Amino acid sequence: MTAIAEAIRAAATFGATSNGGVTRFAWSEPLFGVYAWLRERAAEAGFESRLDAAGNLIVIWDAGQGPVLAIGSHLDTVPNGGRYDGALGVLSGLEAMKHLKRRGFQPNRPVWLIAFMDEEGARFKTTMLGSRAFVGEDLQGLSSRRDGDGVTLAEAMRDAGFPFDRLPEARAIERVGEYLELHIEQGPVLEQAGVDVGIVTGISGLRGTRASFKGIAAHSGTTPMHMRRDALAGAARAVLEIRDVAASRDGTLATVGTMNASPGAFNVVPCAAEFNVDIRSIDPGALESSEADLHRLLQRIADEEQLTVSWDRIYELEPLPLDERLIATCELAATEEGASHQRLPSGAGHDAMIIGRHVPAAMLFLPSQAGISHNPVEHTSDEDCERGTRVLARAVERLSSQPMGWPLRAGVAGFTRTRRSRARWPGWLRPVRAAPAAR
Ligand SMILES: [Zn+2]
């Protein structure tokens, strides 16, 4: 068994569930157990480590000078989750560092491996708490969030030895120059394409809409079909049209995941139907235009069905394009390791979404068997894990052997952009081209 495969099996014993899954909540014993195990493993390889005020575990390769190259992911899980989500990114990071060190490689800049606390937010609905503290977000409002047992976040942190008030001390983003994260895809694209490594172009933004059709409740036995104002029939048409419109566009996903009809009786024509529409894309322009099209579509169906319609935006998050120079570095690393690769967007959120709003960031995806994740059967083959670790090591080697922002190879588009040129566009507003791989 390779070192990475063995590490994944060992880590999965912390918080193991009876059906082969893993439950490691934030601030829990199993999480600190796997931390202790990882710190020992890192120490054996000659790396120091520390815990910051937000419970982020940082393994340090103290070398050279300048901005830190950070590799990160998370070790917490959803309830009865899989053994690869998050853990693979952290474990492959350590294996990559060990591999480079064994070969006698010496970075020109410090390299940090960070296991961020509470990425999943499964216990307190405090998603990405660790990375948000790391970049200095104000998290004071979260202290009284309660878990299922009524324990507050502040209490859980105190019991684990982390005073909530000291959370701001975790801010260390100023030390970091670049960020890399390896993660399982959690979707079926790479496996179906038979591709070894995904190079993530950006992390999707989202728009959430709550829509409501109103008609007239009527007797199902006495109201002729052509005289009905059936709100649910209108909503059903909307669901199908939303699906078809999204399917006709590259890189846009739209989902109706909830629906409520009133009054909800088998013999009454529904007078109201309320549903949520979730739209995702890595292209800010596509999000805008899809939302406008949604409003037009809802109004047209309402008119045709003689209904009234209303809608509200209930959530929004801007997409995050990842850094083109780091993306190109990852592609080069994959090529050098003989791994087939393609670009693709990430539909799920990751710590890179937080860190990448402050410093250039890139992500590598590895294939998920059948696209399944957040499930005990979540699986990525040993071979894929080993290959991905080698690609990560190669990218770390390339980036940390040079000062920040150096062109990797002259004349290749995207390689020469510096942090200065990036500053003109806030990262999440920068226009992006849809990746060919997403088509
Ligand atoms: Zn994850």
Side-chain angles (χ1 to χ4, degrees):
M1 203 188 304
T2 62
I4 183 66
E6 179 261 317
I8 289 160
R9 277 161 189 73
T13 62
F14 296 90
T17 58
S18 57
N19 58 356
V22 184
T23 301
R24 278 195 304 260
F25 287 145
W27 316 107
S28 71
E29 228 173 272
L31 183 65
F32 286 113
V34 78
Y35 272 19
W37 169 82
L38 189 81
R39 296 185 76 170
E40 209 167 291
R41 223 176 145 89
E44 281 164 15
F47 299 119
E48 283 184 18
S49 60
R50 65 180 175 88
L51 283 165
D52 73 11
N56 297 317
L57 170 59
I58 306 180
V59 176
I60 297 164
W61 191 346
D62 193 11
Q65 282 184 332
V68 167
L69 171 62
I71 314 163
S73 204
H74 60 98
L75 289 168
D76 69 309
T77 71
V78 295
N80 207 17
R83 42 176 69 181
Y84 298 87
D85 178 1
L88 179 59
V90 175
L91 301 173
S92 63
L94 182 60
E95 291 309 317
M97 286 163 67
K98 284 165 63 178
H99 167 77
L100 291 172
K101 192 168 192 192
R102 259 198 317 269
R103 273 190 20 212
F105 172 72
Q106 186 64 15
N108 279 319
R109 302 192 269 137
V111 178
W112 290 1
L113 169 67
I114 311 175
F116 287 109
M117 176 59 79
D118 200 15
E119 191 268 353
E120 300 286 3
R123 186 172 172 192
F124 296 101
K125 297 197 169 60
T126 44
T127 311
M128 306 200 200
L129 181 102
S131 47
R132 287 157 67 193
F134 189 85
V135 301
E137 257 185 53
D138 180 4
L139 302 170
Q140 289 306 310
L142 301 179
S143 66
S144 55
R145 291 269 173 102
R146 288 180 192 277
D147 68 9
D149 298 328
V151 177
T152 67
L153 172 61
E155 288 164 355
M157 286 181 64
R158 183 201 59 208
D159 293 350
F162 296 82
F164 182 84
D165 293 345
R166 294 183 61 181
L167 213 42
E169 292 173 26
R171 178 177 181 144
I173 189 67
E174 291 79 7
R175 296 283 313 277
V176 174
E178 289 158 334
Y179 178 77
L180 285 180
E181 181 166 355
L182 179 148
H183 205 279
I184 52 168
E185 183 200 339
Q186 304 182 283
V189 175
L190 293 174
E191 187 187 64
Q192 275 212 356
V195 166
D196 299 328
V197 176
I199 315 282
V200 181
T201 50
I203 300 176
S204 287
L206 21 137
R207 293 277 192 278
T209 301
R210 177 172 294 129
S212 173
F213 281 118
K214 295 239 159 44
I216 294 176
H219 195 296
S220 68
T222 60
T223 316
M225 296 308 287
H226 69 280
M227 293 177 73
R228 297 179 178 204
R229 295 183 174 183
D230 183 339
L232 184 55
R237 279 186 60 189
V239 172
L240 297 178
E241 283 200 30
I242 289 164
R243 180 191 64 174
D244 294 346
V245 169
S248 70
R249 289 188 186 164
D250 295 335
T252 300
L253 303 163
T255 306
V256 177
T258 66
M259 172 83 73
N260 276 308
S262 317
F266 76 93
N267 55 357
V268 183
V269 176
C271 61
E274 199 175 83
F275 54 100
N276 288 358
V277 187
D278 177 277
I279 302 176
R280 297 179 186 229
S281 173
I282 62 163
D283 179 351
L287 280 179
E288 289 301 326
S289 63
S290 298
E291 203 178 35
D293 289 348
L294 171 66
H295 298 164
R296 272 195 292 275
L297 173 160
L298 293 173
Q299 190 60 61
R300 179 174 46 73
I301 291 173
D303 294 346
E304 288 170 7
E305 297 284 336
Q306 291 187 289
L307 305 169
T308 60
V309 65
S310 60
W311 57 78
D312 285 307
R313 188 191 275 177
I314 50 173
Y315 54 83
E316 62 186 303
L317 178 71
E318 288 306 306
L320 177 76
L322 294 178
D323 186 78
E324 183 59 38
R325 188 178 62 85
L326 295 193
I327 289 172
T329 304
C330 290
E331 285 176 330
L332 199 54
T335 303
E336 286 171 344
E337 287 298 332
S340 60
H341 54 89
Q342 74 167 55
R343 293 186 173 204
L344 79 173
S346 170
H350 297 288
D351 291 303
M353 185 167 71
I354 304 296
I355 307 297
R357 298 208 193 265
H358 297 262
V359 300
M363 288 192 80
L364 296 166
F365 272 177
L366 299 188
S368 292
Q369 197 173 82
I372 295 170
S373 183
H374 285 184
N375 184 316
V377 305
E378 177 184 278
H379 186 75
T380 296
S381 75
D382 289 355
E383 193 193 352
D384 282 333
C385 293
E386 169 67 18
R387 189 187 294 112
T389 302
R390 280 192 281 111
V391 173
L392 179 66
R394 185 76 74 158
V396 168
E397 180 179 11
R398 281 196 159 272
L399 291 168
S400 66
S401 61
Q402 293 170 339
M404 266 282 303
W406 262 43
L408 288 180
R409 193 188 287 160
V412 179
F415 274 83
T416 50
R417 201 157 48 74
T418 63
R419 289 186 86 196
R420 207 144 45 81
S421 72
R422 177 189 169 83
R424 276 184 284 140
W425 290 96
W428 56 98
L429 285 179
R430 234 175 340 132
V432 290
R433 189 168 33 88
R439 290 164 192 222

Coordinates of all heavy atoms in Angstrom, one line a residue, residues 289-326:
S289 N -27.8 37.0 -16.0 CA -28.8 36.9 -17.1 C -29.7 35.7 -16.8 O -30.9 35.8 -17.2 CB -28.0 36.7 -18.4 OG -27.3 35.5 -18.4
S290 N -29.2 34.7 -16.1 CA -30.1 33.6 -15.8 C -31.2 34.0 -14.8 O -32.4 33.6 -14.9 CB -29.4 32.4 -15.2 OG -28.4 31.9 -16.0
E291 N -30.9 34.9 -13.9 CA -31.9 35.4 -13.0 C -32.9 36.2 -13.7 O -34.1 36.1 -13.4 CB -31.1 36.2 -11.9 CG -31.9 36.2 -10.6 CD -31.2 37.0 -9.5 OE1 -30.5 38.0 -9.9 OE2 -31.3 36.7 -8.3
A292 N -32.5 37.1 -14.6 CA -33.4 37.9 -15.3 C -34.3 37.0 -16.2 O -35.5 37.2 -16.3 CB -32.6 38.9 -16.2
D293 N -33.8 36.0 -16.8 CA -34.6 35.0 -17.6 C -35.6 34.3 -16.7 O -36.7 34.0 -17.2 CB -33.7 34.0 -18.3 CG -32.9 34.7 -19.4 OD1 -33.2 35.8 -19.8 OD2 -31.9 34.0 -19.9
L294 N -35.2 34.0 -15.5 CA -36.1 33.3 -14.6 C -37.3 34.2 -14.3 O -38.5 33.7 -14.4 CB -35.4 32.9 -13.3 CG -36.2 32.4 -12.2 CD1 -36.8 31.1 -12.5 CD2 -35.4 32.3 -10.9
H295 N -37.1 35.4 -14.1 CA -38.2 36.3 -13.8 C -39.1 36.4 -15.0 O -40.4 36.4 -14.8 CB -37.7 37.7 -13.4 CG -36.8 37.7 -12.2 ND1 -36.0 38.8 -11.8 CD2 -36.6 36.8 -11.2 CE1 -35.3 38.5 -10.7 NE2 -35.7 37.3 -10.3
R296 N -38.6 36.5 -16.2 CA -39.4 36.6 -17.4 C -40.3 35.3 -17.6 O -41.5 35.4 -17.9 CB -38.6 36.8 -18.6 CG -38.3 38.3 -18.9 CD -37.7 38.5 -20.3 NE -36.4 37.9 -20.4 CZ -35.3 38.6 -20.1 NH1 -35.3 39.8 -19.6 NH2 -34.1 38.0 -20.2
L297 N -39.6 34.2 -17.3 CA -40.3 32.9 -17.5 C -41.4 32.8 -16.5 O -42.5 32.4 -16.9 CB -39.2 31.9 -17.3 CG -39.4 30.4 -17.2 CD1 -38.1 29.7 -17.5 CD2 -39.9 29.9 -15.9
L298 N -41.2 33.2 -15.3 CA -42.2 33.1 -14.2 C -43.4 34.0 -14.6 O -44.6 33.5 -14.5 CB -41.7 33.5 -12.9 CG -40.6 32.6 -12.3 CD1 -40.0 33.2 -11.0 CD2 -41.2 31.2 -11.9
Q299 N -43.1 35.2 -15.1 CA -44.2 36.1 -15.4 C -45.0 35.6 -16.6 O -46.3 35.6 -16.6 CB -43.6 37.5 -15.7 CG -44.7 38.6 -15.9 CD -45.5 38.8 -14.6 OE1 -44.9 39.1 -13.6 NE2 -46.8 38.5 -14.7
R300 N -44.4 35.0 -17.6 CA -45.1 34.5 -18.8 C -46.0 33.4 -18.4 O -47.1 33.3 -18.8 CB -44.0 34.1 -19.8 CG -44.7 33.5 -21.1 CD -43.7 33.2 -22.2 NE -42.5 32.5 -21.7 CZ -42.5 31.2 -21.4 NH1 -43.6 30.5 -21.4 NH2 -41.3 30.6 -21.0
I301 N -45.5 32.4 -17.6 CA -46.3 31.3 -17.2 C -47.5 31.8 -16.3 O -48.6 31.3 -16.5 CB -45.5 30.3 -16.4 CG1 -44.5 29.6 -17.3 CG2 -46.3 29.2 -15.7 CD1 -43.5 28.7 -16.7
A302 N -47.3 32.7 -15.5 CA -48.4 33.3 -14.7 C -49.4 33.9 -15.6 O -50.6 33.6 -15.4 CB -47.8 34.4 -13.7
D303 N -49.0 34.6 -16.6 CA -50.0 35.2 -17.5 C -50.8 34.1 -18.2 O -52.0 34.2 -18.3 CB -49.3 36.1 -18.5 CG -48.7 37.3 -17.9 OD1 -49.0 37.6 -16.7 OD2 -47.8 38.0 -18.5
E304 N -50.1 33.1 -18.7 CA -50.7 32.1 -19.5 C -51.7 31.2 -18.7 O -52.7 30.7 -19.1 CB -49.7 31.2 -20.2 CG -49.0 31.9 -21.3 CD -47.7 31.1 -21.8 OE1 -47.5 30.0 -21.4 OE2 -47.0 31.7 -22.6
E305 N -51.3 31.1 -17.4 CA -52.2 30.2 -16.5 C -53.2 31.0 -15.7 O -53.8 30.5 -14.8 CB -51.2 29.4 -15.6 CG -50.3 28.5 -16.2 CD -51.0 27.2 -16.7 OE1 -52.1 26.9 -16.2 OE2 -50.5 26.6 -17.7
Q306 N -53.2 32.3 -15.9 CA -54.1 33.2 -15.2 C -53.8 33.2 -13.7 O -54.7 33.0 -12.9 CB -55.6 32.9 -15.5 CG -55.9 33.3 -16.9 CD -57.4 33.1 -17.1 OE1 -57.9 32.0 -17.1 NE2 -58.1 34.2 -17.3
L307 N -52.6 33.3 -13.3 CA -52.1 33.3 -12.0 C -51.4 34.6 -11.6 O -51.1 35.4 -12.5 CB -51.1 32.1 -11.7 CG -51.6 30.7 -12.1 CD1 -50.4 29.8 -12.1 CD2 -52.7 30.3 -11.2
T308 N -51.2 34.9 -10.4 CA -50.3 36.0 -10.0 C -49.0 35.3 -9.5 O -49.0 34.2 -9.1 CB -50.9 36.9 -8.9 OG1 -51.1 36.1 -7.7 CG2 -52.2 37.5 -9.3
V309 N -47.9 36.1 -9.7 CA -46.6 35.5 -9.3 C -45.8 36.6 -8.5 O -45.9 37.8 -8.8 CB -45.9 35.0 -10.5 CG1 -45.5 36.1 -11.5 CG2 -44.6 34.2 -10.1
S310 N -45.0 36.1 -7.6 CA -44.1 37.0 -6.9 C -42.8 36.3 -6.7 O -42.8 35.0 -6.7 CB -44.7 37.5 -5.6 OG -44.9 36.4 -4.7
W311 N -41.7 37.0 -6.5 CA -40.4 36.3 -6.2 C -39.5 37.2 -5.4 O -39.7 38.4 -5.4 CB -39.7 35.9 -7.5 CG -39.5 37.0 -8.4 CD1 -38.5 37.9 -8.4 CD2 -40.2 37.3 -9.6 NE1 -38.6 38.8 -9.4 CE2 -39.6 38.5 -10.2 CE3 -41.3 36.7 -10.3 CZ2 -40.1 39.0 -11.4 CZ3 -41.8 37.3 -11.4 CH2 -41.2 38.5 -12.0
D312 N -38.6 36.6 -4.6 CA -37.6 37.3 -3.8 C -36.3 36.6 -4.0 O -36.2 35.4 -4.0 CB -37.9 37.2 -2.3 CG -39.1 38.0 -1.9 OD1 -39.0 39.2 -2.2 OD2 -40.1 37.5 -1.3
R313 N -35.2 37.4 -4.0 CA -33.9 36.7 -3.9 C -33.6 36.4 -2.4 O -33.8 37.3 -1.6 CB -32.8 37.7 -4.4 CG -31.5 37.0 -4.5 CD -30.4 38.0 -4.8 NE -30.3 38.3 -6.2 CZ -29.4 39.2 -6.7 NH1 -28.6 39.9 -5.8 NH2 -29.3 39.5 -7.9
I314 N -33.3 35.2 -2.1 CA -33.2 34.8 -0.7 C -31.7 34.5 -0.3 O -31.4 34.5 0.8 CB -34.0 33.6 -0.3 CG1 -33.9 32.4 -1.3 CG2 -35.5 34.0 -0.2 CD1 -34.6 31.2 -0.9
Y315 N -30.8 34.3 -1.3 CA -29.4 34.3 -1.0 C -28.6 34.5 -2.3 O -29.1 34.4 -3.4 CB -28.9 32.9 -0.4 CG -29.3 31.7 -1.1 CD1 -28.5 31.2 -2.2 CD2 -30.4 30.9 -0.8 CE1 -28.9 30.1 -2.9 CE2 -30.8 29.8 -1.5 CZ -30.0 29.4 -2.5 OH -30.3 28.2 -3.2
E316 N -27.3 34.9 -2.1 CA -26.5 35.2 -3.2 C -25.0 35.0 -2.8 O -24.7 35.3 -1.6 CB -26.7 36.6 -3.8 CG -26.4 37.7 -2.9 CD -26.8 39.0 -3.4 OE1 -26.3 39.3 -4.5 OE2 -27.6 39.7 -2.8
L317 N -24.2 34.6 -3.7 CA -22.8 34.5 -3.4 C -22.1 34.7 -4.7 O -22.4 34.0 -5.7 CB -22.4 33.1 -2.8 CG -20.9 32.9 -2.5 CD1 -20.5 33.8 -1.3 CD2 -20.7 31.4 -2.2
E318 N -21.1 35.6 -4.8 CA -20.4 35.9 -6.0 C -19.5 34.7 -6.3 O -18.9 34.1 -5.4 CB -19.6 37.1 -5.9 CG -20.5 38.4 -5.9 CD -21.4 38.4 -7.1 OE1 -20.9 38.3 -8.3 OE2 -22.6 38.6 -6.9
P319 N -19.3 34.3 -7.6 CA -18.4 33.3 -8.0 C -16.9 33.7 -7.7 O -16.7 34.9 -7.6 CB -18.6 33.0 -9.4 CG -19.4 34.2 -9.9 CD -20.0 34.9 -8.8
L320 N -16.1 32.7 -7.5 CA -14.6 33.1 -7.4 C -13.8 32.4 -8.5 O -13.6 31.2 -8.5 CB -14.1 32.6 -6.0 CG -12.6 32.8 -5.8 CD1 -12.4 34.3 -5.5 CD2 -12.0 31.9 -4.7
P321 N -13.3 33.2 -9.4 CA -12.4 32.6 -10.4 C -11.1 32.3 -9.7 O -10.6 33.1 -8.9 CB -12.2 33.8 -11.4 CG -13.0 34.9 -11.0 CD -13.5 34.7 -9.6
L322 N -10.5 31.2 -10.0 CA -9.2 30.9 -9.4 C -8.1 31.5 -10.3 O -8.4 32.0 -11.4 CB -9.0 29.4 -9.3 CG -10.0 28.8 -8.2 CD1 -9.9 27.3 -8.1 CD2 -9.9 29.4 -6.8
D323 N -6.9 31.5 -9.8 CA -5.8 32.2 -10.4 C -5.2 31.5 -11.6 O -4.8 30.4 -11.5 CB -4.7 32.4 -9.3 CG -3.6 33.3 -9.8 OD1 -3.8 34.5 -9.8 OD2 -2.5 32.8 -10.2
E324 N -5.2 32.3 -12.7 CA -4.7 31.7 -14.0 C -3.3 31.2 -13.9 O -3.0 30.1 -14.5 CB -4.9 32.7 -15.1 CG -4.6 32.1 -16.5 CD -5.4 30.9 -16.9 OE1 -6.6 30.9 -16.6 OE2 -4.9 30.0 -17.5
R325 N -2.4 31.9 -13.3 CA -1.0 31.5 -13.2 C -0.9 30.2 -12.4 O -0.2 29.2 -12.8 CB -0.2 32.6 -12.6 CG 1.3 32.3 -12.7 CD 2.1 33.4 -12.0 NE 1.9 33.6 -10.6 CZ 2.5 32.9 -9.7 NH1 3.4 32.0 -9.9 NH2 2.1 33.1 -8.4
L326 N -1.6 30.1 -11.3 CA -1.6 28.8 -10.5 C -2.3 27.7 -11.2 O -1.8 26.5 -11.1 CB -2.2 29.0 -9.1 CG -1.5 30.0 -8.2 CD1 -2.1 29.9 -6.8 CD2 0.0 29.8 -8.1

